Amino acid sequence: DTGVSQNPRHKITKRGQNVTFRCDPISEHNRLYWYRQTLGQGPEFLTYFQNEAQLEKSRLLSDRFSAERPKGSFSTLEIQRTEQGDSAMYLCASREDSRRAQYFGPGTRLLVL
Amino acid sequence: EDQVTQSPEALRLQEGESSSLNCSYTVSGLRGLFWYRQDPGKGPEFLFTLYSAGEEKEKERLKATLTKKESFLHITAPKPEDSATYLCASLNSNSGYALNFGKGTSLLVTP
C-alpha cells in the first residue's frame, strides 16, 4: 500500500509530557501538511512543507509545537509540555506537485490526561 | 474572512432516498473546491476536486457540482455504506497552501 502512514495511531500522555508523531507521505509527494481535528470540526491547518522546507505555519502552531521534515522524506510533529487542550486527532496529508488534491493518513489520536 | 459553511450538520436518509449536501463558500480567488469522505476514527478520503463554476464530477452514487458561491454533493440512491461525514474544503489564493475545511455533514443511511 502506498498511502500516507502515521505512527503511532493512538497516544495517551499526561499533561506536561512531550510527544512526537511521525508521518510517512506517499512516495514522490514533495508536499506535506499537518492538520489538527477536534470532535465535530473539520481539520485545521497547522503547517506545510515543500521538500524539507517549512513554508507556512498557522497561528494555531504555538511555540510548544515544532515540525521537521529532514531530507524531504518523513515528517515529525513534536508537542512539548502537552496540555489537555492539545487532545485531538493529528492528521498528515501529502500531495504531488502537479495536483492540488491532498491525500490524508489515518491520523494519530492524542489524549492528554 | 474566507469561510466554508456546510449544511445540514446531520442528515438521515433511508436507503434509496436521494438527497444533496450543501457547501457554501465566501472566498477571494478560489483555486479549488474539494470534497472528502471521513469515516469515524479515520482520516479524510479524497473524493473530488472542482475548479470552476459549472464543473461536475461523478463517482458511483456521488456527483459534485460547483457554482460561484456553492457546491453540492448529490447522493443518488444511497446505501448504508455511504454513511460517513462528508467534508468540503476550499483552497484560496489567500490561504497559501492550506485547505480551509467546513465542519462537515454527518450522513446516516438506514436500511
Side-chain angles (χ1 to χ4, degrees), chain A residues 32-52:
Chain A
L32 186 147
Y33 305 76
W34 285 98
Y35 291 82
R36 180 173 68 188
Q37 186 177 26
T38 53
L39 199 62
Q41 304 294 316
E44 295 176 296
F45 170 74
L46 293 178
T47 191
Y48 160 70
F49 289 86
Q50 184 171 340
N51 298 310
E52 66 275 11

Side-chain angles (χ1 to χ4, degrees), chain A residues 33 35 37 45 56 100 102 105, chain B residues 31 36 38 43 97-99:
Chain A
Y33 305 76
Y35 291 82
Q37 186 177 26
F45 170 74
E56 189 173 353
R100 293 177 183 168
Q102 298 178 20
Chain B
R31 295 166 58 210
Y36 287 84
Q38 187 171 29
Y97 309 98
L99 291 177

Side-chain angles (χ1 to χ4, degrees), chain A residues 71-90:
Chain A
K71 302 179 182 178
S73 56
F74 69 92
S75 176
T76 58
L77 178 68
E78 180 183 15
I79 309 175
Q80 296 182 327
R81 304 181 303 282
T82 52
E83 302 173 355
Q84 287 183 325
D86 296 331
S87 295
M89 173 81 92
Y90 289 84

Side-chain angles (χ1 to χ4, degrees), chain B residues 35-48:
Chain B
W35 283 97
Y36 287 84
R37 168 191 171 130
Q38 187 171 29
D39 292 300
K42 297 189 177 181
E45 174 190 348
F46 172 71
L47 293 174
F48 304 109

Side-chain angles (χ1 to χ4, degrees), chain B residues 75-91:
Chain B
I75 304 177
T76 302
K79 298 181 178 181
E81 52 262 42
D82 295 322
S83 298
T85 294
Y86 290 86
L87 295 164
C88 167
S90 67
L91 183 65

Side-chain angles (χ1 to χ4, degrees), chain B residues 18-86:
Chain B
S18 302
S19 188
S20 294
L21 312 184
N22 177 266
C23 171
S24 298
Y25 62 93
T26 54
V27 303
S28 51
L30 183 72
R31 295 166 58 210
L33 191 291
F34 302 80
W35 283 97
Y36 287 84
R37 168 191 171 130
Q38 187 171 29
D39 292 300
K42 297 189 177 181
E45 174 190 348
F46 172 71
L47 293 174
F48 304 109
T49 308
L50 302 166
Y51 291 106
S52 57
E55 189 174 359
E56 299 182 349
K57 296 271 181 76
E58 280 189 75
K59 180 181 178 180
E60 296 180 353
R61 296 177 293 282
L62 300 177
K63 179 180 178 179
T65 61
L66 183 66
T67 72
K68 289 186 178 180
K69 292 190 180 298
E70 295 175 303
S71 179
F72 294 93
L73 186 66
H74 308 277
I75 304 177
T76 302
K79 298 181 178 181
E81 52 262 42
D82 295 322
S83 298
T85 294
Y86 290 86

